[in-house]
Amino acid sequence: MESGNTYWNDRALLEWQIELGADEAIGDAPINRYDLDPAPAPKAEKPASAPTPPSQPTIADPVAEANATAKDAATLEDLATAMAAFDHCDLKRGARNFVFSDSRPDARVMIIGEAPGRQEDQVGKPFVGQAGQLLDKMLAAIDLDRRSDQPERAVYITNVLPWRLPQNRTPDATEIAMLLPFLERHIALANPDVLILMGNTPCQALLGRAGITRIRGAWTEVLGRPTLPMFHPAYLLRQTAAKREAWADLLSLKAKLKDLT
């Protein structure tokens, strides 16, 4: 009786397993159920990308910035403000004053010198020392006066550089190049009939050549207007024999203004 119960119990269990889908007693190959499941295959790693190089600091181009700033100046007041704020010229840090110009900007004659000297740096105006006093006498000899309220007699004065150079040294090519855009815009806004370049530095800046003893007295053209290179009054104070040539240049200037009237 007991063996019969075992038979029917075993059969019932077998039928129940068949209903569940267990219809094969063994597989094609033995399986060790005690083995751990194999670890999943590692995912393929993406190739490491090259590290992004650190961004390089932008290096300012003083000449390009000067060009853009000068171009934006619509008036002489705008230009003076832009020049005073220009931070790429180290001369600014050692100067006492920013020296922009003197006299009427609507004058027929515009004189361009090199840079302020000691007295100009103190006062804040160009050509106020001994050289400036001699310049006033030279102008008076042909009936011109920087203090005149008449544009036809007045003379507008500026420099290539608005800040004094240490020990009154000659400006280098880099200093001239970064301030040249301001000078060219200055000329365009003042719009004089005639330009006078006094000394080597303004000739170097605007004509691309120096040698004032060779090129003085020879009329040329800068920015579409008659231009005359002349000795700087400071040179005449040291070389008094050159005053003869300076007088000839003044007479040439007087004749040119008459022709342009």
Side-chain angles (χ1 to χ4, degrees):
M1 190 72 182
E2 181 178 351
S3 60
N5 290 336
T6 301
Y7 167 80
W8 292 111
N9 286 337
D10 292 343
R11 182 174 177 171
L13 289 172
L14 181 60
E15 291 175 349
W16 175 69
Q17 290 182 24
I18 292 173
E19 290 178 2
L20 292 177
D23 56 354
E24 292 183 357
I26 60 174
D28 294 335
I31 299 175
N32 187 351
R33 301 295 181 182
Y34 293 98
D35 285 345
L36 296 175
D37 291 338
K43 294 182 179 179
E45 295 184 0
K46 295 181 179 178
S49 58
T52 303
S55 58
Q56 297 296 323
T58 302
I59 299 176
D61 182 344
V63 177
E65 184 172 325
N67 268 306
T69 304
K71 184 179 179 180
D72 288 341
T75 65
L76 287 170
E77 291 77 13
D78 292 343
L79 185 66
T81 300
M83 287 186 72
F86 188 70
D87 283 331
H88 295 292
C89 185
D90 289 340
L91 297 176
K92 175 181 179 179
R93 293 159 180 76
R96 177 176 297 181
N97 276 307
F98 169 74
V99 181
F100 185 66
S101 66
D102 188 28
S103 190
R104 299 175 59 100
D106 60 349
R108 297 188 66 196
V109 178
M110 182 176 184
I111 292 178
I112 302 173
E114 179 180 272
R118 181 178 61 85
Q119 288 180 273
E120 288 80 6
D121 183 42
Q122 292 175 342
V123 175
K125 288 186 178 182
F127 286 88
V128 296
Q130 283 187 308
Q133 295 169 16
L134 177 56
L135 174 62
D136 289 341
K137 293 178 181 179
M138 294 167 61
L139 296 173
I142 57 170
D143 198 29
L144 296 178
D145 184 356
R146 76 163 91 185
R147 298 172 183 84
S148 176
D149 58 0
Q150 304 171 24
E152 61 273 11
R153 293 190 62 235
V155 176
Y156 185 61
I157 304 175
T158 190
N159 285 306
V160 176
L161 285 77
W163 297 290
R164 184 189 179 191
L165 292 136
Q167 289 79 48
N168 292 332
R169 65 168 173 81
T170 301
D172 61 37
T174 300
E175 292 164 337
I176 293 174
M178 73 172 68
L179 292 169
L180 180 58
F182 293 110
L183 178 60
E184 292 176 337
R185 185 60 176 160
H186 200 158
I187 295 169
L189 291 171
N191 194 28
D193 291 341
V194 172
L195 282 176
I196 304 297
L197 309 183
M198 286 195 155
N200 276 320
T201 296
C203 290
Q204 183 67 53
L206 293 168
L207 299 179
R209 55 197 175 104
I212 191 64
T213 57
R214 298 189 303 273
I215 63 178
R216 57 133 294 271
W219 284 96
T220 183
E221 187 174 285
V222 170
L223 300 177
R225 63 201 79 235
T227 302
L228 181 65
M230 289 182 60
F231 288 129
H232 194 286
Y235 176 82
L236 298 175
L237 290 172
R238 301 190 303 270
Q239 303 290 335
T240 57
K243 289 183 178 180
R244 177 182 296 180
E245 287 88 349
W247 174 241
D249 294 343
L250 288 171
L251 293 178
S252 180
L253 170 59
K254 183 177 181 179
K256 177 66 72 173
L257 289 173
K258 184 177 180 181
D259 291 342
L260 295 173
T261 301

